[in-house]
Amino acid sequence: MPYNRAHHRFAIFTAGATFCLLIAGALVTSNDAGLSVPDWPTSFGSLYKIPHMIGGVRFEHTHRMIAEFVGVLTVVLAIWTWRVDKRRWIKALAVGALGTVVAQGVLGGLTVLFYLPPLISSAHAALAQTFFCIAVAIAVFTGRRWVEEVPEVELDSRRPSLITLTLLSILVLYVQLILGAMFRHHGMSWWPHVVNAPVAALVLTWTAVRALAVYARIEAVRRPAILLLGLLITQLCLGFVAFLTRVAWGRDAVQPELPMVISTVAHVAVGALLLATAVVLAIQVWRHVPVAFAERVPEGGRRVVAA
Amino acid sequence: MNKKTWVSLLTLPCLGLGLLAGCSKKEEAQPAAAPEAAAPAAAAATPIDPATVASVTGTVKLDGAAPKAAKIDMSQDAACKGANSAETIVADGGNLANVFVYVKDGLGTRTFDVPTTAVTIDQQGCKYHPHVLGVMTGQNISIKNDDQTTHNIHPTPQSNREWNESQPPNATPIQKTFAREEIMLPVKCNQHPWMRMYINVVKSPFYSVTGPDGKYELKGLPPGTYTIAFVQEKLGEQTQQVTLAAKDSKTVDQSFKQQ
């Protein structure tokens, strides 16, 4: 199947727009503006009129407009992928992305209509980053390197395998994401998110160090592993600042203060990049560092087949 | 792409839109200005002999220096030109304002008539007036907007129904009631995040909110032993017991320690 440059660039653009949408959503939460537009799917009774963009409305309505734009991009991406890509699994992924964005829109609406219940709001936050990861994955799968190059492969015989470590990294990041979202949406105290942070940091460091120590010559593995480490350090620093501005200093604030808004939004944004990087690393490890066949098939499951 | 594929692709967004429509209808079905579903018809009020009624008065004080009021930044809306200091703790010369004082216990099974007059909440200068309000269960609350900007009024109760409605400038007042007792029920505006007030919903008419001089008065109480509760939004609740004989007029002062 030939590489389609326009399709790949559109996938990158969709992922970029989704990242902007994540920031817009984080701004809504940090500014406590989630219910500044009380109705949905209309905004102050209209489906198309832009309301007076003051106070919390500018955050909430901007988020809605970017969400609509990303929704349209996803529809186009799904149709385009279906038409130009011959791989059935990537067609399924593109349709999955469309389903995810629809579900995400519905969750966003439900959280407004039910006055921001922590579970729905947290599900909205977690699904947002899931959709971002899907968009990034589509961008990776449609790239020139993925489509045209023969992958450089090195078998993994270590325990635990690198693919296991990358999947574990995604798992701990998801747990961390849900704990953070529950805290941000007043469904849980701050301490589970803070307690899980060193666990997540340990697993991510282990994964990245293993990738760099053993498979550094594979560029597709080396680059996301380095990025993972860099983002992890940034995220830990941002988490500390966010804790100070929100929990320690901002407890009795009469309104959302700028340092709190900046640090918490940056923490959400870098968290999303961290999760997407872990997903990309897992994808590249799956492609370049497979577990040796003998390791994958248990002894009893192997059969001798006559040539 | 074949016909089936197109149909599948178009069905997903349609399903989403269908869900949206379903959810929005639920909201539309609730009239904007309709008062909350009233509690079951109240029994006739227990008569009180006016010749025997007693009263309690007093002053609520703050021990220690009053904290400096936090400044509010209203720059995000040019139409907001209110006093830009927070009202979390308002104390002048040790007198503590905005303390809700009510008879928490001692009235037994007595019932009381709900006043037919509404109490008013005014949004002016991007602040709520009053900051602390007392109201009886089922009593009408009239909410008006005197600002040249849109507000939304969003109570976040524990035991009453939550609602969130926007109110543009010069709109007709919104009429609401609360069916169940609830103390320090927060009300906020999500458009102007510093806007916050507290509604106290009680079953008896024996309540008061301290003014800038820290004073309160509970009038018309039948003789008995009562628990008087003093509630401040940040400093919490304190109680005192008082026994009133017929025609008594007692003074019950209270002080809160600065945390």
Side-chain angles (χ1 to χ4, degrees), chain A residues 197-271:
Chain A
V199 177
L202 191 74
V203 173
L204 292 178
T205 307
W206 187 9
T207 306
V209 167
R210 166 76 72 80
L212 291 172
V214 186
Y215 306 102
R217 63 178 197 83
I218 304 172
E219 193 191 3
V221 172
R222 186 178 70 242
R223 286 169 67 175
I226 291 172
L227 186 60
L228 195 75
L229 273 183
L231 287 171
L232 174 62
I233 293 165
T234 311
Q235 182 67 342
L236 288 172
C237 295
L238 283 171
F240 179 66
V241 177
F243 181 84
L244 288 180
T245 56
R246 168 142 187 202
V247 180
W249 301 335
R251 194 190 302 268
D252 295 326
V254 290
Q255 66 193 108
E257 290 171 343
L258 193 61
M260 184 278 284
V261 172
I262 291 173
S263 59
T264 51
V265 170
H267 190 54
V268 170
V270 174

Coordinates of all heavy atoms in Angstrom, one line a residue, chain A residues 197-271:
Chain A
A197 N 1.7 8.6 42.2 CA 2.6 9.3 41.3 C 4.0 8.6 41.3 O 4.6 8.3 40.3 CB 2.7 10.8 41.7
P198 N 4.6 8.3 42.5 CA 5.9 7.6 42.5 C 5.8 6.2 41.9 O 6.8 5.8 41.3 CB 6.3 7.5 44.0 CG 5.2 8.1 44.8 CD 4.2 8.7 43.9
V199 N 4.7 5.6 42.0 CA 4.5 4.2 41.4 C 4.6 4.4 39.9 O 5.3 3.7 39.2 CB 3.2 3.6 41.8 CG1 3.0 2.2 41.1 CG2 3.1 3.4 43.3
A200 N 3.8 5.3 39.4 CA 3.8 5.6 37.9 C 5.2 6.0 37.5 O 5.7 5.5 36.4 CB 2.8 6.7 37.6
A201 N 5.9 6.8 38.3 CA 7.2 7.3 37.9 C 8.2 6.2 37.8 O 9.0 6.1 36.9 CB 7.7 8.4 38.9
L202 N 8.1 5.2 38.8 CA 9.0 4.1 38.8 C 8.8 3.2 37.6 O 9.8 2.8 37.0 CB 8.7 3.3 40.1 CG 9.7 2.2 40.5 CD1 11.0 2.9 41.0 CD2 9.1 1.3 41.6
V203 N 7.5 2.9 37.3 CA 7.3 2.0 36.2 C 7.7 2.6 34.8 O 8.3 2.0 34.0 CB 5.7 1.6 36.1 CG1 5.4 0.9 34.8 CG2 5.3 0.9 37.3
L204 N 7.4 3.9 34.7 CA 7.8 4.6 33.5 C 9.4 4.7 33.3 O 9.9 4.5 32.2 CB 7.3 6.0 33.4 CG 5.7 6.1 33.3 CD1 5.3 7.6 33.3 CD2 5.3 5.5 32.0
T205 N 10.0 4.9 34.4 CA 11.5 5.0 34.4 C 12.1 3.6 34.0 O 13.0 3.5 33.2 CB 12.1 5.5 35.8 OG1 11.4 6.7 36.1 CG2 13.5 5.7 35.7
W206 N 11.6 2.6 34.7 CA 12.0 1.2 34.4 C 11.8 1.0 32.9 O 12.8 0.5 32.2 CB 11.2 0.3 35.2 CG 11.6 -1.2 35.2 CD1 12.7 -1.7 34.6 CD2 10.9 -2.3 35.8 NE1 12.7 -3.0 34.8 CE2 11.6 -3.4 35.5 CE3 9.7 -2.4 36.5 CZ2 11.2 -4.7 35.9 CZ3 9.3 -3.7 36.9 CH2 10.0 -4.8 36.6
T207 N 10.7 1.3 32.3 CA 10.4 1.0 30.9 C 11.4 1.8 30.0 O 12.0 1.2 29.1 CB 8.9 1.5 30.6 OG1 8.1 0.8 31.5 CG2 8.5 1.1 29.2
A208 N 11.5 3.1 30.3 CA 12.3 3.9 29.4 C 13.8 3.5 29.5 O 14.5 3.4 28.5 CB 12.2 5.4 29.8
V209 N 14.3 3.2 30.7 CA 15.7 2.8 30.9 C 15.9 1.5 30.2 O 16.9 1.4 29.5 CB 16.0 2.8 32.4 CG1 17.3 2.1 32.6 CG2 16.1 4.2 33.0
R210 N 15.0 0.5 30.3 CA 15.2 -0.7 29.6 C 15.2 -0.5 28.1 O 16.1 -1.1 27.4 CB 14.0 -1.7 30.0 CG 13.9 -2.9 29.1 CD 14.9 -4.0 29.4 NE 14.6 -4.6 30.6 CZ 13.7 -5.6 30.7 NH1 13.0 -6.0 29.6 NH2 13.4 -6.1 31.9
A211 N 14.3 0.3 27.6 CA 14.3 0.6 26.2 C 15.6 1.2 25.7 O 16.2 0.8 24.7 CB 13.1 1.5 25.8
L212 N 16.1 2.1 26.5 CA 17.3 2.9 26.1 C 18.6 2.0 26.3 O 19.6 2.1 25.5 CB 17.4 4.2 26.9 CG 16.4 5.2 26.5 CD1 16.5 6.4 27.4 CD2 16.6 5.7 25.1
A213 N 18.6 1.2 27.4 CA 19.8 0.4 27.7 C 20.0 -0.7 26.7 O 21.1 -1.1 26.3 CB 19.7 -0.1 29.1
V214 N 18.9 -1.3 26.2 CA 19.0 -2.5 25.4 C 18.7 -2.2 23.9 O 19.3 -2.9 23.0 CB 18.0 -3.6 25.9 CG1 18.3 -4.9 25.2 CG2 18.3 -3.8 27.4
Y215 N 17.8 -1.3 23.6 CA 17.4 -1.2 22.2 C 17.6 0.2 21.7 O 16.8 0.7 20.8 CB 15.9 -1.6 22.1 CG 15.6 -3.0 22.6 CD1 15.0 -3.1 23.9 CD2 16.0 -4.1 21.9 CE1 14.8 -4.4 24.4 CE2 15.8 -5.4 22.4 CZ 15.2 -5.5 23.7 OH 15.0 -6.8 24.2
A216 N 18.6 0.9 22.2 CA 18.8 2.3 21.8 C 19.1 2.5 20.3 O 18.9 3.5 19.7 CB 19.9 2.9 22.7
R217 N 19.7 1.4 19.7 CA 20.0 1.6 18.3 C 18.8 1.6 17.4 O 18.9 1.9 16.2 CB 21.0 0.5 17.9 CG 20.6 -0.9 17.9 CD 21.6 -1.9 17.4 NE 20.9 -3.1 17.2 CZ 20.3 -3.4 16.0 NH1 20.3 -2.5 15.1 NH2 19.7 -4.6 15.9
I218 N 17.7 1.1 17.9 CA 16.4 1.2 17.1 C 15.8 2.6 17.3 O 15.3 2.9 18.4 CB 15.4 0.1 17.5 CG1 16.1 -1.3 17.4 CG2 14.2 0.2 16.7 CD1 15.3 -2.4 17.9
E219 N 15.9 3.4 16.3 CA 15.5 4.8 16.5 C 14.0 4.9 16.9 O 13.6 5.8 17.7 CB 15.7 5.6 15.1 CG 15.6 7.1 15.3 CD 15.6 7.8 14.0 OE1 15.6 7.2 12.9 OE2 15.5 9.0 14.0
A220 N 13.1 4.1 16.3 CA 11.7 4.2 16.6 C 11.4 3.9 18.0 O 10.3 4.3 18.5 CB 10.9 3.2 15.7
V221 N 12.3 3.2 18.7 CA 12.1 2.9 20.1 C 12.8 4.0 21.0 O 12.3 4.4 22.0 CB 12.6 1.5 20.5 CG1 12.6 1.2 22.0 CG2 11.8 0.4 19.8
R222 N 14.0 4.3 20.5 CA 14.8 5.3 21.3 C 14.1 6.6 21.5 O 14.1 7.2 22.6 CB 16.2 5.5 20.6 CG 17.1 6.3 21.4 CD 18.5 6.5 20.7 NE 18.4 7.3 19.5 CZ 18.6 6.9 18.3 NH1 19.0 5.6 18.0 NH2 18.5 7.7 17.2
R223 N 13.6 7.1 20.4 CA 13.0 8.5 20.5 C 11.8 8.6 21.4 O 11.8 9.5 22.3 CB 12.6 9.0 19.0 CG 13.9 9.3 18.3 CD 13.6 9.6 16.8 NE 12.8 10.7 16.6 CZ 12.5 11.2 15.4 NH1 12.9 10.6 14.3 NH2 11.7 12.3 15.3
P224 N 10.8 7.7 21.3 CA 9.7 7.8 22.4 C 10.2 7.6 23.8 O 9.7 8.1 24.7 CB 8.7 6.8 21.9 CG 9.3 5.9 20.9 CD 10.5 6.7 20.3
A225 N 11.2 6.7 23.9 CA 11.7 6.4 25.3 C 12.4 7.6 25.9 O 12.2 7.9 27.1 CB 12.7 5.2 25.2
I226 N 13.2 8.4 25.1 CA 13.8 9.6 25.6 C 12.7 10.6 25.9 O 12.7 11.3 27.0 CB 14.8 10.2 24.5 CG1 16.0 9.2 24.4 CG2 15.2 11.6 24.9 CD1 17.0 9.6 23.3
L227 N 11.7 10.8 25.0 CA 10.6 11.7 25.2 C 9.9 11.4 26.5 O 9.5 12.2 27.3 CB 9.7 11.7 24.0 CG 8.6 12.7 24.0 CD1 9.2 14.2 24.0 CD2 7.7 12.6 22.7
L228 N 9.7 10.1 26.7 CA 8.9 9.6 27.9 C 9.6 10.1 29.2 O 9.0 10.6 30.1 CB 8.8 8.1 27.9 CG 7.8 7.4 28.8 CD1 6.4 7.6 28.3 CD2 8.1 5.9 29.0
L229 N 11.0 9.9 29.2 CA 11.7 10.3 30.4 C 11.6 11.8 30.6 O 11.4 12.3 31.7 CB 13.2 9.9 30.2 CG 13.6 8.5 30.7 CD1 15.1 8.3 30.6 CD2 13.1 8.3 32.2
G230 N 11.8 12.6 29.5 CA 11.7 14.1 29.6 C 10.4 14.5 30.1 O 10.3 15.4 31.0
L231 N 9.3 13.9 29.5 CA 8.0 14.3 29.9 C 7.7 13.9 31.3 O 7.0 14.7 32.1 CB 6.9 13.7 29.0 CG 6.8 14.3 27.5 CD1 6.0 13.4 26.7 CD2 6.3 15.7 27.6
L232 N 8.2 12.8 31.7 CA 8.0 12.3 33.1 C 8.6 13.3 34.1 O 7.9 13.7 35.1 CB 8.6 11.0 33.3 CG 8.6 10.4 34.7 CD1 7.2 10.2 35.2 CD2 9.4 9.1 34.8
I233 N 9.8 13.8 33.9 CA 10.4 14.8 34.8 C 9.6 16.1 34.8 O 9.3 16.6 35.9 CB 11.9 15.0 34.3 CG1 12.7 13.7 34.5 CG2 12.5 16.2 35.1 CD1 14.1 13.7 33.8
T234 N 9.2 16.5 33.6 CA 8.4 17.8 33.5 C 7.1 17.6 34.3 O 6.7 18.5 35.0 CB 8.1 18.1 32.0 OG1 9.3 18.0 31.3 CG2 7.5 19.4 31.8
Q235 N 6.5 16.4 34.1 CA 5.2 16.2 34.7 C 5.3 16.1 36.2 O 4.4 16.6 36.9 CB 4.6 14.9 34.2 CG 3.2 14.5 34.7 CD 2.1 15.5 34.2 OE1 2.4 16.6 33.7 NE2 0.9 15.1 34.3
L236 N 6.4 15.6 36.8 CA 6.5 15.5 38.2 C 6.7 16.9 38.8 O 6.1 17.3 39.8 CB 7.7 14.6 38.6 CG 7.5 13.1 38.4 CD1 8.8 12.4 38.6 CD2 6.5 12.6 39.3
C237 N 7.5 17.8 38.1 CA 7.7 19.2 38.5 C 6.3 19.9 38.5 O 6.0 20.6 39.4 CB 8.7 19.9 37.6 SG 10.3 19.2 37.7
L238 N 5.6 19.7 37.4 CA 4.3 20.4 37.2 C 3.3 19.9 38.3 O 2.5 20.7 38.8 CB 3.7 20.1 35.8 CG 4.3 21.0 34.7 CD1 3.8 20.4 33.3 CD2 4.0 22.4 34.8
G239 N 3.3 18.6 38.6 CA 2.5 18.1 39.6 C 2.7 18.7 41.0 O 1.8 19.1 41.7
F240 N 4.0 18.9 41.3 CA 4.4 19.6 42.5 C 3.9 21.0 42.6 O 3.3 21.4 43.6 CB 5.9 19.5 42.7 CG 6.4 20.2 44.0 CD1 6.1 19.6 45.2 CD2 7.2 21.3 43.9 CE1 6.5 20.2 46.4 CE2 7.6 21.9 45.1 CZ 7.3 21.4 46.3
V241 N 4.1 21.7 41.5 CA 3.6 23.1 41.4 C 2.1 23.2 41.5 O 1.5 24.0 42.2 CB 4.1 23.8 40.2 CG1 3.6 25.3 40.1 CG2 5.6 23.9 40.1
A242 N 1.4 22.3 40.8 CA -0.1 22.2 40.8 C -0.6 21.9 42.2 O -1.6 22.5 42.7 CB -0.6 21.2 39.8
F243 N 0.1 21.1 42.9 CA -0.3 20.7 44.3 C -0.1 22.0 45.2 O -1.0 22.3 46.0 CB 0.6 19.6 44.9 CG 0.3 19.2 46.3 CD1 -0.7 18.3 46.5 CD2 1.0 19.8 47.4 CE1 -1.1 18.0 47.8 CE2 0.6 19.5 48.7 CZ -0.4 18.5 48.9
L244 N 1.0 22.7 45.0 CA 1.1 23.9 45.8 C 0.1 25.0 45.5 O -0.6 25.5 46.4 CB 2.5 24.6 45.5 CG 3.7 23.8 46.1 CD1 5.0 24.6 45.7 CD2 3.7 23.7 47.6
T245 N -0.2 25.2 44.2 CA -1.1 26.3 43.9 C -2.5 26.0 44.1 O -3.3 26.8 44.4 CB -0.9 26.7 42.4 OG1 -1.1 25.5 41.6 CG2 0.4 27.3 42.1
R246 N -2.9 24.7 44.0 CA -4.3 24.3 44.2 C -4.6 23.8 45.7 O -5.5 24.3 46.3 CB -4.7 23.2 43.2 CG -6.0 22.6 43.5 CD -6.8 22.3 42.4 NE -8.1 21.9 42.9 CZ -9.0 21.1 42.3 NH1 -8.7 20.7 41.1 NH2 -10.1 20.8 42.8
V247 N -3.8 22.9 46.2 CA -4.1 22.3 47.4 C -3.5 23.1 48.6 O -4.3 23.4 49.6 CB -3.6 20.8 47.5 CG1 -3.9 20.2 48.8 CG2 -4.2 20.0 46.4
A248 N -2.3 23.4 48.5 CA -1.6 24.1 49.7 C -2.0 25.6 49.8 O -2.4 26.1 50.8 CB -0.1 23.9 49.6
W249 N -1.9 26.3 48.7 CA -2.1 27.8 48.7 C -3.5 28.2 48.3 O -4.0 29.2 48.7 CB -1.1 28.5 47.8 CG 0.4 28.2 48.2 CD1 0.8 27.9 49.4 CD2 1.5 28.3 47.3 NE1 2.2 27.7 49.4 CE2 2.6 28.0 48.1 CE3 1.7 28.6 46.0 CZ2 3.9 28.0 47.6 CZ3 3.0 28.6 45.5 CH2 4.1 28.3 46.3
G250 N -4.1 27.4 47.4 CA -5.4 27.8 46.8 C -6.6 27.3 47.5 O -7.7 27.4 46.9
R251 N -6.5 26.7 48.6 CA -7.6 26.0 49.3 C -8.7 27.0 49.6 O -9.9 26.7 49.3 CB -7.1 25.5 50.6 CG -8.1 24.5 51.3 CD -7.6 24.2 52.7 NE -6.3 23.6 52.7 CZ -6.0 22.3 52.7 NH1 -7.0 21.5 52.6 NH2 -4.8 21.9 52.7
D252 N -8.4 28.2 50.0 CA -9.5 29.2 50.4 C -9.6 30.3 49.3 O -10.2 31.4 49.6 CB -9.2 29.8 51.7 CG -9.3 28.7 52.8 OD1 -10.1 27.8 52.7 OD2 -8.5 28.8 53.8
A253 N -9.1 30.1 48.1 CA -9.2 31.1 47.1 C -10.6 31.5 46.8 O -11.4 30.6 46.7 CB -8.4 30.7 45.9
V254 N -10.9 32.8 46.6 CA -12.3 33.1 46.3 C -12.7 32.9 44.9 O -13.8 33.0 44.5 CB -12.6 34.6 46.7 CG1 -12.6 34.7 48.2 CG2 -11.6 35.6 46.1
Q255 N -11.6 32.8 44.0 CA -11.9 32.5 42.6 C -10.6 31.8 42.1 O -9.6 31.8 42.7 CB -12.1 33.8 41.9 CG -10.9 34.7 41.8 CD -11.3 36.1 41.3 OE1 -11.3 37.1 42.1 NE2 -11.6 36.3 40.1
P256 N -10.7 31.1 40.9 CA -9.6 30.5 40.4 C -8.5 31.5 40.1 O -8.7 32.5 39.4 CB -10.1 29.9 39.0 CG -11.6 29.8 39.2 CD -11.9 31.0 40.1
E257 N -7.3 31.2 40.6 CA -6.2 32.2 40.5 C -5.2 31.7 39.3 O -5.1 30.5 39.1 CB -5.4 32.3 41.8 CG -6.3 33.0 42.8 CD -5.7 33.0 44.2 OE1 -4.8 32.2 44.5 OE2 -6.1 33.8 45.0
L258 N -4.6 32.7 38.7 CA -3.9 32.4 37.5 C -2.8 31.3 37.7 O -2.7 30.4 36.8 CB -3.3 33.7 36.9 CG -2.7 33.6 35.5 CD1 -3.8 33.2 34.5 CD2 -2.1 34.9 35.1
P259 N -1.9 31.4 38.7 CA -0.9 30.4 38.9 C -1.5 29.0 39.0 O -1.0 28.0 38.4 CB -0.2 30.8 40.2 CG -0.5 32.2 40.4 CD -1.8 32.4 39.8
M260 N -2.7 28.9 39.7 CA -3.3 27.6 39.8 C -3.8 27.1 38.4 O -3.6 25.9 38.0 CB -4.5 27.7 40.7 CG -5.2 26.3 41.0 SD -6.4 25.9 39.8 CE -7.8 27.0 40.1
V261 N -4.4 28.0 37.6 CA -5.0 27.7 36.3 C -3.8 27.2 35.4 O -3.9 26.2 34.8 CB -5.7 28.9 35.7 CG1 -6.1 28.6 34.3 CG2 -7.0 29.2 36.5
I262 N -2.7 28.0 35.3 CA -1.6 27.7 34.4 C -1.0 26.3 34.8 O -0.8 25.4 34.0 CB -0.5 28.8 34.5 CG1 -1.1 30.1 33.8 CG2 0.7 28.3 33.8 CD1 -0.2 31.3 34.0
S263 N -0.7 26.1 36.1 CA 0.0 24.9 36.5 C -0.9 23.7 36.3 O -0.4 22.6 35.9 CB 0.5 25.0 38.0 OG -0.6 25.2 38.8
T264 N -2.2 23.8 36.6 CA -3.1 22.6 36.5 C -3.3 22.2 35.0 O -3.3 21.1 34.7 CB -4.4 22.8 37.3 OG1 -5.0 24.0 36.9 CG2 -4.2 22.8 38.8
V265 N -3.5 23.3 34.2 CA -3.8 23.0 32.8 C -2.5 22.4 32.2 O -2.6 21.4 31.4 CB -4.2 24.3 32.1 CG1 -4.2 24.1 30.6 CG2 -5.6 24.7 32.5
A266 N -1.3 22.9 32.5 CA -0.1 22.4 32.0 C 0.1 20.9 32.5 O 0.6 20.1 31.7 CB 1.1 23.2 32.5
H267 N -0.3 20.6 33.7 CA -0.2 19.3 34.2 C -1.1 18.3 33.5 O -0.7 17.2 33.1 CB -0.6 19.3 35.7 CG -0.3 18.1 36.5 ND1 0.9 17.5 36.5 CD2 -1.1 17.3 37.3 CE1 0.9 16.4 37.3 NE2 -0.3 16.3 37.7
V268 N -2.3 18.8 33.1 CA -3.2 17.9 32.3 C -2.6 17.7 30.9 O -2.6 16.6 30.4 CB -4.6 18.6 32.2 CG1 -5.5 17.8 31.2 CG2 -5.3 18.6 33.6
A269 N -2.1 18.8 30.3 CA -1.6 18.7 28.9 C -0.4 17.8 28.9 O -0.3 16.9 28.0 CB -1.2 20.1 28.4
V270 N 0.6 18.0 29.8 CA 1.8 17.1 29.7 C 1.4 15.7 30.1 O 2.0 14.7 29.5 CB 2.9 17.7 30.7 CG1 4.1 16.7 30.8 CG2 3.3 19.0 30.2
G271 N 0.4 15.5 31.0 CA -0.1 14.2 31.3 C -0.6 13.5 30.0 O -0.3 12.3 29.8

